[in-house]
Each structure stands twice: as structure tokens, then as C-alpha cells.
Amino acid sequence: MKFAIALYSPAHAPSSRRALLFAQAALAAGHEIVRLFFYQDGVHSASSAVVTPQDELDVPAQWREFVTTHQLDGVVCIAAALRRGVLNEAEARRYSRTAASVAAPWELSGLGQLHDAVQEADRLICFGGP
Amino acid sequence: MSTLHVLSHSPFADSRLSTCLRVLGGEDAILLCGDATYALNASTAARQALEARADGLKLFVLDEDATARSIELPDWVKAVDYPGFVELSVHYDKVNTWL
Amino acid sequence: MAKSLLIISRQAPWSGPSAREALDIALAGGAFDLPLGMLFLDDGVLQLLPSQNARALQQKDLTANLQALEMFGVEDLFACSTSLAERGMSPDALNVEPLNVLQDEEIAALIDRYDQVITI
């Protein structure tokens, strides 16, 4: 089956790790992930600026590694990201902000990408909250 | 058509579980994960509400969340791991996560 | 044939960005001519209260966007009757129309009619 996975919570929320483990299990079972779409506070799960204490699980790093290893399409909603101060280099330059906090493998794009994924996938599964 | 409803909020200060139970379809299932697992705490209205539906409603819990909280599972709830969670999402026609 | 999506909006208009961001999903989908429906449930029905004054909170007025849904091709709008009653709201005095007010069992049937659902 083809899955579209949408994440609405930041890296420190249990649901971010849960989404990652689900995504890993989906691939392990032979399914395909059409796109990962990070919306609302999910944009923070794509942050390259998060500093995790040494003795804790580095969820943003694990997401990055997962997307890179499997060459997945990892999209962060640009409107949700800007509103939350999650900018890539191009947007940081555009809006004269001092910091960029999202980088490859994540791409900033619009809600059209969520709809596109919903159309292409057999299953949409969302993660958020605790 | 059947929907797998996924809940992760604690039921005690939140209306997601009670609303979900109100609008549930006859073929639907619920997966409790995260803090929604506390709905299975003994002697709670939440657990009673779930038990009352146990005949028709298929109820699942994510095993890591039940283990973390040392919640004793009644026989009308089935624990699943992540591969099991994936299987559920394939088996049901769609997944409705109560974000 | 395009897959249909039901967006269930459960948050009050200014409890955070959820009401707005649920609406954005609907408007984006409408712009792409996708078959969408929107259900207001629990505190989501509070978005339908008439005479809102978002300016008093220096917030954007969601009402205009809600009323624009039809223009964007999102015509299937629903509200939960129980949620309205719980909040002292009359189905006859809502700020968006046309809108179908549904009983609980009709909501189960509604969810079944759509291919996918997002409850935000």
C-alpha cells in the first residue's frame, strides 16, 4: 500500500517518535511512503536547530536519517513553518531573518503537496498531540 | 466502510474519546496510544464507557504505551506493536487520528 | 476519480492556529477542485457563532474565510447538532450557510462517505 504520513507535532511530542516508528514499520512491511508532510507544529520536527540533551532520543536527527536513507519526499508546509519561525536559507534571506533552521532533506512547500499525497496514497495517516 | 480511530490524549481533561464514542460507526475500531491508554485505568468512567461498547467495538492499544504505564489490559482489548499498527491501518478503510 | 477528503475542525476560532490551519487545508483543496467536506465538531462549532469580533483580539476574522469556502468549491459543510446544543448555539443562527446540521449517527455515515479524513 501507498501511505501518506502527516505529522502535526514537534520533535519532543511522543507522537513525533510514534510517527517515525510507524513509518519505519510501514517500509519494513514492504509498503511505500508517498510523502511525509509536516504541518502545524510538525514543522518543528524538521528543525535542524533543535539541541537534544545527550541522554535523550534525538528525534529530529532520526527523522533526517530516515528520510535520507530511504530517499523519501519530506515536505514541510511553508506557511506553517514561516508562522512558527522555521525557515530555510532562502526564506531567511527573503525575510531578512537571522537564522535558518530547516535544511535538506526537508523541502518547504505548500498545502498542495498534502493534497497531492492524499490523492496518490491509499492511506493517509496523521500523527499529532501527545 | 470502516474507520480506525486513533486517540492519544488523556481522556480525563479532554473530550476526544467521548465525542469519538458518540460518532463511531458500526464497523469502526479504536486504537488507544499515548495518554489515551489511561482510558483503561481501572475504576474510571472512561474504562466503563469502553467496556460497555466491548461487544461491538474493536479496541486496540499500542503495546509500548500500555507497558510504559503498567496498565493491565482486559481481555476485550488487543495490544499491538508497530507492525500490528501498520496492519490495522491497512485493514481498516481509513484512519482518523483525533489530533 | 479524485479521492474525497473530510476535514473535521474541532477547535474554537482563537484557541491557537488550529481553526485557521484546518480552514487552510480546505481552501487549498478547493483551489485544486478536489472533493472536500468540512465538519465542525466539539469546540469547532464555536467558529460558526455570528457576530464575532476578531479585531478586538487583533486576530484575523475567520468568518470571511468560512463564507469563502463555497466560492472555493467547498460546498459540503456540516455541524454537529450535539456540539451546538452543548454550547448554547441554535442551528438557525450560524454565520455560514448552507450548512447541514447532523445528529451523531449521521456523522458516522458522513465519515464513511469520504475516502480520507483529517480531524484537526
Side-chain angles (χ1 to χ4, degrees):
Chain A
M1 281 226 166
K2 292 180 177 180
F3 281 89
I5 299 177
L7 177 63
Y8 296 72
S9 57
H12 55 78
S15 51
S16 185
R17 169 184 165 277
R18 192 176 306 128
L20 176 60
L21 290 175
F22 180 94
Q24 288 169 344
L27 290 187
H31 299 295
E32 189 190 325
I33 296 175
V34 153
R35 179 165 298 131
L36 293 163
F37 190 84
F38 283 16
Y39 189 46
Q40 293 203 306
D41 285 351
V43 304
H44 294 297
S45 281
S47 172
S48 47
V50 166
V51 177
T52 308
Q54 296 272 34
D55 59 347
E56 286 178 25
L57 196 64
D58 191 341
V59 174
Q62 295 212 343
W63 269 118
R64 271 196 301 278
E65 194 191 314
F66 177 66
V67 169
T68 307
T69 303
H70 298 283
Q71 295 180 298
L72 298 175
D73 189 12
V75 176
V76 172
C77 177
I78 187 166
L82 290 178
R83 181 175 294 141
R84 289 165 176 79
V86 174
L87 283 65
N88 61 9
E89 290 279 2
E91 298 306 310
R93 264 197 310 276
R94 188 199 315 275
Y95 292 100
S96 307
R97 293 300 193 262
T98 51
S101 58
V102 63
W106 304 104
E107 299 231 356
L108 291 183
S109 191
L111 278 168
Q113 292 289 295
L114 173 61
H115 285 294
D116 191 69
V118 167
Q119 291 300 314
E120 203 191 324
D122 301 302
R123 292 291 182 272
L124 165 68
I125 177 156
C126 299
F127 291 87
Chain B
M1 285 295 249
S2 61
T3 300
L4 174 71
H5 296 267
V6 178
L7 293 143
S8 65
H9 287 76
S10 161
F12 305 111
D14 186 271
S15 64
R16 285 166 175 85
L17 176 59
S18 53
T19 300
C20 176
L21 288 173
R22 273 201 290 112
V23 304
L24 217 50
E27 305 296 311
D28 292 356
I30 288 180
L31 170 70
L32 300 172
C33 58
D35 288 341
T37 318
Y38 290 120
L40 295 172
N41 274 6
S43 316
T44 59
R47 179 166 166 140
Q48 274 163 18
L50 288 171
E51 188 165 14
R53 308 286 293 256
D55 268 348
L57 170 65
K58 286 180 208 56
L59 201 57
F60 301 93
V61 69
L62 193 57
D63 61 5
E64 63 175 20
D65 285 313
T67 303
R69 295 163 177 78
S70 294
I71 293 180
E72 247 186 70
L73 298 180
D75 57 19
W76 39 270
V77 178
K78 181 161 189 266
V80 294
D81 54 11
Y82 280 95
F85 188 173
V86 171
E87 273 167 29
L88 286 177
S89 71
V90 167
H91 174 81
Y92 287 88
D93 297 312
K94 58 181 170 292
V95 181
N96 182 21
T97 303
W98 290 69
L99 294 166
Chain C
M1 213 179 68
K3 291 189 178 103
S4 59
L5 174 67
L6 177 67
I7 296 150
I8 302 180
S9 186
R10 290 185 61 255
Q11 305 296 338
W14 310 304
S15 70
S18 284
R20 172 62 197 274
E21 289 179 330
L23 203 46
D24 284 347
I25 296 177
L27 292 168
F32 288 104
D33 265 324
L34 292 169
L36 296 173
M38 195 151 179
L39 165 67
F40 298 91
L41 180 65
D42 290 333
D43 276 356
V45 301
L46 294 167
Q47 297 172 44
L48 307 171
L49 271 170
S51 313
Q52 290 179 50
N53 186 1
R55 269 194 205 288
L57 296 173
Q58 295 173 295
Q59 289 264 10
K60 265 194 201 153
D61 182 5
L62 282 184
T63 305
N65 283 354
L66 287 175
Q67 288 164 345
L69 281 170
E70 209 191 343
M71 250 189 328
F72 274 74
V74 185
E75 287 160 352
D76 299 330
L77 303 178
F78 307 90
C80 170
S81 168
T82 307
S83 304
L84 288 169
E86 279 174 350
R87 289 156 184 79
M89 292 171 66
S90 161
D92 303 317
L94 301 175
N95 63 0
V96 178
E97 50 178 47
L99 182 125
N100 295 297
V101 176
L102 301 180
Q103 306 302 316
D104 293 344
E105 52 289 349
E106 292 175 300
I107 292 176
L110 179 73
I111 293 174
D112 271 356
R113 287 212 298 275
Y114 285 81
D115 294 311
Q116 302 290 3
V117 57
I118 294 177
T119 299
I120 204 169

